[in-house]
Amino acid sequence: MSSPHDFDFLAGEWEVAHRRRTDFLDPDSDWVEFRGTSWCRPLFDGAANIDEIDMPYLGAKGLTLRLFDVEREEWSLNWSSSRSGKLFPPVVGRFDGDRGEFYGDDMHDGKDVRARFVWADVSPASAHWEQAFSVDGGETWVTNWTMDFSRPPAS
């Protein structure tokens, strides 16, 4: 079952290797790779956190607010981009071991999409995140963004 400490691993500073499709809905579109950095701060004794990710290649930053719903024993992940300053609809879900799956409904390029975020292979030193969109209600998915997190070398 999920707990208020599922995202404890994410606290602190990270280097991030991004891999992102040029067209989020086209499974045959090219991938672009770039580097970034991230930091995460726990709140509510671990039952919430906030992170900021810096993506100089895109000329943007992103922010995620994660909140643990104690009654439902699940997380909501709420994303915002510095490009729009708007809060996107949340994805909601939970962890099972070191893998978390989170789902929500959104729009991309004027189309309704089902969004899925996956956190996997989490450890104190590394983690993997990916995003996928579905335009057919979750029958098929296009993975369109991945991030591999690693701790920066000690200075």
Side-chain angles (χ1 to χ4, degrees), residues 19-32 142-145:
R19 192 167 184 254
R20 181 181 136 147
R21 286 204 184 273
T22 55
D23 181 332
F24 278 9
L25 299 178
D26 181 357
D28 297 320
S29 65
D30 291 333
W31 289 95
V32 175
V142 176
T143 299
N144 53 40
W145 197 331

Side-chain angles (χ1 to χ4, degrees), residues 22 26-27 31 35 40 64 66 76 87 90 95 108 112 115 132 140 144 150 152:
T22 55
D26 181 357
W31 289 95
R35 308 288 301 170
C40 181
T64 306
R66 296 176 190 85
S76 64
L87 198 58
F95 274 83
H108 181 74
D112 290 330
T140 60
N144 53 40
S150 59

Side-chain angles (χ1 to χ4, degrees), residues 83-151:
R83 287 186 172 167
S84 69
K86 295 179 182 176
L87 198 58
F88 286 73
V91 293
V92 177
R94 58 180 41 95
F95 274 83
D96 183 7
D98 73 347
R99 181 182 173 86
E101 291 191 16
F102 309 88
Y103 296 87
D105 296 311
D106 204 343
M107 296 235 0
H108 181 74
D109 285 344
K111 295 180 182 173
D112 290 330
V113 297
R114 184 89 172 131
R116 178 182 69 198
F117 291 3
V118 173
W119 280 96
D121 304 322
V122 301
S123 77
S126 63
H128 176 81
W129 173 90
E130 64 184 51
Q131 171 183 276
F133 287 170
S134 174
V135 294
D136 59 13
E139 293 293 318
T140 60
W141 294 92
V142 176
T143 299
N144 53 40
W145 197 331
T146 68
M147 290 188 259
D148 288 302
F149 290 73
S150 59
R151 294 291 181 188

